[in-house]
Amino acid sequence: MRRLNRKKTLNLMKELDAFPKVPESYVETSASGGTVSLIAFTTIAFLTIMEFTVYRDTWMKYEYEVDKDFTSKLRINIDITVAMRCQYVGADVLDLAETMVTSADGLIYEPVIFDLSPQQKEWQRMLQLIQSRLQEEHSLQDVIFKSAFKSASTALPPREDNSLQSPDACRIHGHLYVNKVAGNFHITVGKAIPHPRGHAHLAALVSHESYNFSHRIDHLSFGELIPGIINPLDGTEKIASNHNQMFQYFITVVPTKLHTYKISAETHQFSVTERERVINHAAGSHGVSGIFMKYDISSLMVTVTEQHMPFWQFLVRLCGIIGGIFSTTGILHGFGRFVAEVIFCRFRLGSYRSTSVPLPDGHTSNHLPLITDNSMH
């Protein structure tokens, strides 16, 4: 009984076979079929390698939502060098809520030499080259996101030469925590002092001939400091052509959540437009000489997530490539053989029709000769 049941099961499985086997004696090989098979296998191998490359690659997905966090503080990371002595300049932040954040809350004034060393100039040149490429190729930003924490630091390298020149500039670096509202971070003449109606700077003791707001922005970012991320103003250098000159940067800050396979951080992207002008009250150009960075916080938040192709999708695409190549090459090979057979058959028929058969009376017949049993023998 067991053998009978097993035999019935095997017969049933044979009836369900969707891949019937063809005896080898019925299979005919040809040179054309071997050539097409070689081309098919080569194409499959090439496309499989390309598909595996796509499978290993990742891409960034951008999602947008309303930023509902209004109570937290915004961190501003600053590293700016101004071509004036530290006792002549002051930096602070004043926002729309009339909250004043002075530089004493987190900024350091360091006397330095404004001119860069050869190594530092090379670093600045490379950073400016990257900035120009980022403006042309926006997709490179995804590469920077994926390489965060893996690439080299974007900070200005220390001087490698021991210059005997006395410091003629002031490096203002550190970070400040401000409210998440629009504000104005500025560097101008004199130290900032509180004022009932706002704030003021002690600039009366500084001669106008000492004004020089040529500056270099080595780094400016908002939010968590992430090594490897290049911001729009990093590497910017401006040379003042006049003592009384104003440099303005209008910045729009977008809160950003970054989730990659390497890091997960909350930072901020920003876009910037620049303007500079000479202060000349007689000509109607009013204002205060200095560096002004007016920032505004966007109400939208961007979530950037690094995504990867699932393994099952890779298998499905791979099966589609293999099956599609085999089917397509089989169809093309069959069509090619059909066309070749039609051409050869017409050629053979033409040769038969041109054959002449002599008749007993001396005439000729162009009809094809009949095939008789005697001729078969």
Side-chain angles (χ1 to χ4, degrees):
M1 292 294 295
R2 291 182 177 178
R3 290 183 177 179
L4 183 61
N5 292 334
R6 185 180 300 175
K7 189 175 182 180
K8 290 181 178 180
T9 303
L10 290 176
N11 292 333
L12 179 61
M13 296 302 294
K14 289 181 179 180
E15 293 178 359
L16 296 176
D17 188 7
F19 308 96
K21 309 301 182 294
V22 179
E24 294 184 1
S25 58
Y26 295 167
V27 178
E28 179 182 358
T29 59
S30 62
S32 61
T35 303
V36 173
S37 299
L38 184 61
I39 296 174
F41 288 135
T42 304
T43 306
I44 289 174
F46 175 74
L47 293 180
T48 300
I49 295 174
M50 296 298 294
E51 190 65 27
F52 182 72
T53 304
V54 174
Y55 169 72
R56 292 192 58 186
D57 193 15
T58 59
W59 63 90
M60 308 304 292
K61 180 181 179 182
Y62 292 81
E63 297 178 328
Y64 302 89
E65 59 180 317
V66 177
D67 185 14
K68 301 179 181 179
D69 184 10
F70 304 106
T71 58
S72 63
K73 294 289 185 177
L74 175 64
R75 171 171 168 158
I76 306 179
N77 307 295
I78 302 164
D79 190 351
I80 301 176
T81 301
V82 185
M84 292 181 65
R85 298 186 182 275
C86 291
Q87 62 265 28
Y88 294 158
V89 295
D92 60 278
V93 177
L94 184 65
D95 58 25
L96 290 182
E98 297 184 355
T99 302
M100 178 180 174
V101 181
T102 61
S103 57
D105 296 333
L107 295 183
I108 300 173
Y109 292 79
E110 179 184 351
V112 294
I113 301 173
F114 187 76
D115 292 333
L116 297 176
S117 65
Q119 181 180 355
Q120 291 175 328
K121 289 181 179 179
E122 182 65 20
W123 170 87
Q124 186 186 35
R125 188 187 68 81
M126 292 299 298
L127 189 57
Q128 291 175 349
L129 179 61
I130 294 174
Q131 291 284 19
S132 62
R133 291 297 301 274
L134 283 174
Q135 294 177 1
E136 298 174 359
E137 303 288 342
H138 298 285
S139 59
L140 292 179
Q141 186 64 47
D142 294 348
V143 179
I144 293 177
F145 280 149
K146 289 189 285 187
S147 63
F149 279 151
K150 295 193 301 181
S151 58
S153 175
T154 57
L156 178 70
R159 299 187 70 93
E160 76 281 1
D161 58 342
N162 297 323
S163 178
L164 300 178
Q165 179 182 353
S166 60
D168 58 351
C170 184
R171 178 190 176 197
I172 304 173
H173 60 99
H175 60 271
L176 297 173
Y177 287 95
V178 299
N179 298 321
K180 292 187 69 173
V181 295
N184 183 4
F185 169 75
H186 52 271
I187 301 174
T188 187
V189 178
K191 302 299 180 182
I193 56 174
H195 192 272
R197 296 183 180 180
H199 76 296
H201 288 261
L202 291 174
L205 302 179
V206 182
S207 172
H208 281 77
E209 301 298 325
S210 302
Y211 288 15
N212 184 3
F213 283 100
S214 300
H215 61 280
R216 184 179 61 253
I217 304 175
D218 296 327
H219 180 78
L220 180 70
S221 63
F222 296 83
E224 183 179 347
L225 186 60
I226 303 178
I229 298 296
I230 299 177
N231 297 277
L233 285 176
D234 294 353
T236 301
E237 183 176 85
K238 299 291 184 180
I239 303 299
S241 58
N242 191 283
H243 294 292
N244 295 327
Q245 193 157 349
M246 173 189 287
F247 296 91
Q248 293 176 303
Y249 299 92
F250 301 93
I251 300 172
T252 301
V253 183
V254 181
T256 304
K257 290 184 178 180
L258 182 61
H259 301 286
T260 68
Y261 291 105
K262 298 295 181 180
I263 63 170
S264 180
E266 294 187 4
T267 182
H268 292 72
Q269 302 179 82
F270 66 90
S271 60
V272 59
T273 55
E274 306 174 12
R275 183 189 178 192
E276 58 182 86
R277 59 188 175 93
V278 176
I279 302 301
N280 188 347
H281 299 285
S285 179
H286 303 291
V288 179
S289 302
I291 305 166
F292 297 85
M293 298 183 177
K294 299 180 180 181
Y295 60 88
D296 192 10
I297 312 298
S298 174
S299 59
L300 292 179
M301 180 175 61
V302 182
T303 302
V304 185
T305 308
E306 185 178 7
Q307 291 191 335
H308 186 273
M309 180 188 296
F311 183 70
W312 64 266
Q313 187 175 354
F314 169 70
L315 291 180
V316 170
R317 292 166 64 98
L318 194 61
C319 293
I321 289 174
I322 297 174
I325 294 296
F326 269 117
S327 300
T328 304
T329 53
I331 293 173
L332 293 178
H333 181 241
F335 180 75
R337 289 191 62 181
F338 171 76
V339 172
E341 289 177 357
V342 170
I343 294 175
F344 288 149
C345 286
R346 293 190 62 180
F347 178 77
R348 290 174 182 175
L349 288 175
S351 63
Y352 286 149
R353 288 174 181 175
S354 63
T355 303
S356 300
V357 180
L359 297 177
D361 56 358
H363 294 83
T364 57
S365 175
N366 293 328
H367 295 286
L368 291 176
L370 295 177
I371 300 177
T372 61
D373 294 338
N374 294 333
S375 64
M376 294 294 293
H377 296 289

